[in-house]
Amino acid sequence: MLRAPTLAAAALLATSAFAQDAVQTDGDKYKVILENECVRVLDYHDLPGEKTHQHKHPPFVLYALSPFKRTLTLPDGKVLTRQFKEGDVMWSEEQTHVGENIGQTPTHVVIMELKKSSGECTK
C-alpha cells in the first residue's frame, strides 16, 4: 500500500512531467511570433491580477518590453517573486510554473524558447 508522502511525491512528479505548453494552456496571453527547428519566440501579455495555468517552458531568454512584478509558483510549492524594468533580460533553464501578475502594470515580454543546442542550429 502506498503511503501519503509517496502519493504526494508521485503526484508532484506527474504534474511536472505532464505540464502543458504555455500556448495551449494560456493562448489568450501567449502568441507565437516566430518558430523554426531551433527556436520558438513568444509574445506574452497580461494584466494586473491575471494568472496563468501551470505550464512548462524549455530553456529560454526573456526580454521585458514593460516594467512588471509577478510571482512564479513552482510544482513543489516554492514561490518566486520577479520584478523587471523595461529592457531587462533574463536567462532561465527549463521551468514549470504558474505565473501571476501581482504588480500595478501589465506584463509584456518576449520569450525566446530554445529547441536545440546551438551547435545544431548554426548556418
Side-chain angles (χ1 to χ4, degrees):
M1 180 193 311
L2 294 176
R3 295 192 172 167
T6 304
L7 288 173
L12 178 63
L13 289 173
T15 300
S16 181
F18 296 110
Q20 291 188 13
D21 178 81
V23 176
Q24 294 174 353
T25 62
D26 295 284
D28 59 322
K29 297 174 181 64
Y30 287 96
K31 302 293 181 228
V32 177
I33 56 176
L34 173 82
E35 186 166 16
N36 62 32
E37 65 279 354
C38 297
V39 67
R40 181 170 75 160
V41 181
L42 305 173
D43 184 51
Y44 177 85
H45 290 264
D46 73 13
L47 298 173
E50 290 188 332
K51 191 175 194 177
T52 67
H53 297 88
Q54 181 167 283
H55 59 276
K56 185 175 185 175
H57 294 282
F60 66 91
V61 175
L62 178 147
Y63 179 76
L65 296 170
S66 67
F68 64 90
K69 185 176 182 180
R70 65 190 304 102
T71 58
L72 301 176
T73 303
L74 306 180
D76 65 2
K78 183 176 181 180
V79 177
L80 308 172
T81 301
R82 299 284 189 243
Q83 189 161 356
F84 287 83
K85 298 182 302 267
E86 182 179 336
D88 282 352
V89 179
M90 179 197 82
W91 161 260
S92 178
E93 294 293 339
E94 180 177 294
Q95 186 179 99
T96 298
H97 63 251
V98 172
E100 182 175 5
N101 184 331
I102 61 168
Q104 302 299 311
T105 60
T107 302
H108 188 194
V109 299
V110 172
I111 298 171
M112 288 125 307
E113 296 178 329
L114 305 180
K115 291 183 172 184
K116 297 181 179 179
S117 70
S118 61
E120 296 176 90
C121 290
T122 57
K123 288 192 178 197

